[in-house]
């Protein structure tokens, strides 16, 4: 059984060595469930490979600490190994170091200063449909109720607040086919995207401050496709754009903005995911930032904090891993950072 | 056996009714070979499904009259049928009416005023590799020697001189990948094609007069491709352009021009086919235009006349079909135009 009394660094290595590629988390989820169920101060429930453990001390405040159990596919980088201060191996940074910190807190803080819900979930690295949080939010939304959430994704020990939203849309230009030997009988749709690209090149992204954090938007072409045959003037060209928007906009407002930018062109939204406000103005979040220290920064990529935000739970990303190492074959985590992260979280839960 | 003594209109219908989709011309080639071999004034040879018949009167001039035996795939448009002046059916316009005229000439002009080589070839409607003229030019170039050639492709009874060349090139823009949530770390290659499209939109095609005929060039994007994934700033975008150039330029000069237009960008030529000069300044061509009448015009599309041109044989397109009907399900040919075409050609060969 997973020994939660061991040092957080050793616990991280132990968890890393239980392979848990997305879809194959059962062995690790079983270990986590068994270890937490042995602790009398926790109430443990499970859905699929997602394990939820709650303290029920009757506090007026409840915080949620979450980490995903799964990793991207291994790449000859297991078992873990230590070199100096670094622990190498698949999932070390993203995000078993964070999971180990959360498990240590669950085991060693039987009477926290605010009630805590620990969530260890599956299938974060693959399609949203299979994500454990998607399933629990649908089937057991009550399990995720909280005043504030910390998602222990790798942030290099810095609080990253909220996350930017993302919207993809197709900007379509039509023309008229003709033989390219008599091109003047046609209207070239590829030539017709010049003003679309001109607007993208002239675009000045906003850098709004939301709840004290500066975000940085972006509007970019991520795909372009046009052409019928080598001797035909094409009658269709589609530019796919991706708008990354700050959490002061809803999906609807983001869509409206994209339609404004490409006014005069046919715009159709392909998919979108909402942004999440950082929520650092809440008192329990303020206590968290005070305990962790440092200057919180805005999260620019999209993460599962948006799922909590959608449930009305302000959430931040905070974890010991280095986000730049995620999904790399040479992934590692600093052992010192794991210890620092454990200490900061401990301070927060015991003040 | 194909009866070459019947009226050219009936002969056209008879040929149309012998189905000969590209690659399946054998039955028609056999009929043509048998009918021509029965004529004592012709020397007949064959290569695959290409039949060549020559008069050998010892004239100092030799002209070549060519037509392809194959058609595009049928579309429920066989057998042929007559409505008023129109003969409907697959291949009527492109180009069995022209083939019928040539066969009539071969049969009824035993002693032409200049020696004639008749060429009936296969696989014109498909890849150049399989084209009967490609094969004969490679294996029996002597069969195609002549002072002037008439390719009886549909031109609505107007002489269309030479043909424009075609060159395809890829204009490549590179960038630097980045996550689209932090797009400022990347360089967007799709955005980078804006100036390529601006040059295409600003391009003013030449309309040069060559050997008395006005051509009309064109430079167009015929394809564009870029994009890695919906959340990635793309590092590569390729615009495929097609330059249709007048016969006063060689392929090398055409390539140089395209490189000049896109100076500063990586340009790589994908394929090219040479233009053909109209050759109407040659005396035998002048006699031809005098016999046919009308005002010759430039051929803008690429046709097999360029193959003759490459062999040093000036060539024109001239045939009774309407080029706009080629490859259409409702393809037809005017019976009157077939008779007019036969009469004009007869005049030319008997003056």
């Amino acid at each position: 059984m997973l020994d939660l009394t061991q040092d957080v660094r050793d616990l991280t290595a132990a968890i890393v060595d239980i392979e848990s590629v997305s879809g194959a988390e059962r062995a690790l989820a079983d270990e986590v469930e068994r270890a937490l169920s042995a602790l009398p101060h926790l109430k443990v429930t499970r859905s699929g490979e997602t394990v939820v453990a709650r303290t029920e001390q009757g506090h007026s405040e409840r915080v949620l600490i979450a980490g995903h159990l799964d990793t991207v596919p291994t790449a000859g980088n297991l078992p873990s190994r230590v070199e100096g201060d670094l622990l190498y191996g698949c999932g070390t940074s993203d995000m078993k170091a964070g999971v180990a910190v959360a498990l240590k807190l669950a085991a060693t803080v039987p009477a926290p200063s605010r009630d805590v819900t620990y969530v260890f979930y599956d299938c974060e690295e693959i399609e949203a449909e299979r994500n454990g949080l998607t399933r629990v939010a649908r089937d057991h939304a009550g399990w995720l109720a909280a005043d504030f959430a910390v998602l222990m994704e790798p942030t290099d020990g810095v609080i990253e607040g909220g996350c930017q939203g993302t919207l993809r849309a197709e900007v379509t230009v039509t023309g008229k086919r003709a033989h390219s030997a008599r091109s003047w009988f046609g209207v070239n749709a590829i030539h017709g995207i010049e003003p679309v690209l001109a607007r993208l090149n002239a675009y000045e992204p906003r850098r709004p401050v939301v709840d004290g954090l500066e975000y940085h938007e972006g509007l970019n072409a991520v795909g372009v496709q046009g052409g019928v045959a080598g001797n035909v003037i094409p009658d269709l060209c589609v530019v796919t754009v991706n708008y990354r928007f700050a959490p002061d906009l809803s999906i609807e407002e983001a869509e409206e903005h994209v339609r404004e930018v490409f006014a005069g062109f046919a715009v159709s939204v392909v998919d979108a995911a909402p942004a999440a406000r950082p929520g650092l103005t809440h008192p329990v979040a303020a206590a968290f930032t005070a305990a962790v220290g440092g200057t919180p920064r805005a999260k620019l990529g999209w993460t599962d904090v948006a799922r909590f935000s959608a449930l009305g739970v302000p959430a931040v990303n905070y974890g010991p891993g280095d986000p730049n190492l995620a999904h790399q074959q040479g992934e590692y985590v600093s052992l010192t950072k794991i210890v620092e992260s454990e200490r900061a979280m401990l301070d927060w839960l015991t003040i």
Side-chain angles (χ1 to χ4, degrees), chain A residues 190-339:
Chain A
I190 296 176
H191 296 193
I193 67 166
E194 185 196 342
V196 174
L197 300 183
R199 292 183 202 182
L200 285 167
N201 278 320
Y203 187 77
E204 304 236 356
R206 295 192 312 142
R207 300 177 72 154
V209 173
V210 182
D211 295 352
L213 299 187
E214 188 187 72
Y215 288 83
H216 192 158
E217 297 193 335
L219 178 63
N220 272 276
V222 291
V224 63
Q225 177 70 54
V228 176
N231 59 353
V232 176
I233 302 303
D235 57 351
L236 184 69
C237 190
V238 178
V239 182
T240 304
V241 298
N242 183 211
Y243 180 34
R244 296 283 174 152
F245 55 96
D248 58 344
L249 296 186
S250 66
I251 286 181
E252 293 68 31
E253 290 165 331
E255 176 176 343
E256 195 182 334
H257 177 66
V258 170
R259 291 189 183 282
E260 272 169 23
V261 170
F262 298 109
F265 291 94
V267 173
S268 116
V269 172
V270 177
D271 58 34
R277 295 186 76 99
L280 294 176
T281 46
H282 192 284
V284 70
F288 175 71
T289 57
V292 169
T295 304
R297 64 185 176 210
K299 184 72 177 179
L300 302 179
W302 196 90
T303 79
D304 275 335
V305 297
R307 297 184 198 281
F308 292 109
S309 187
L311 293 169
V313 184
V316 297
N317 301 276
Y318 167 75
D322 178 342
N324 297 322
L325 301 173
H327 306 189
Q328 294 191 14
Q329 196 270 343
E331 182 180 357
Y332 61 78
V333 66
S334 153
L335 295 170
T336 304
K337 292 246 179 186
I338 305 177
V339 173

Side-chain angles (χ1 to χ4, degrees), chain A residues 161-194:
Chain A
C163 79
Q164 292 198 137
T166 176
L167 180 145
R168 257 186 297 273
E170 290 180 349
V171 183
T172 299
V173 173
T174 54
K176 188 178 158 218
R177 279 194 203 189
H179 195 291
S180 66
R182 290 170 292 275
S183 51
W184 47 94
F185 291 130
V187 177
N188 194 315
I190 296 176
H191 296 193
I193 67 166
E194 185 196 342

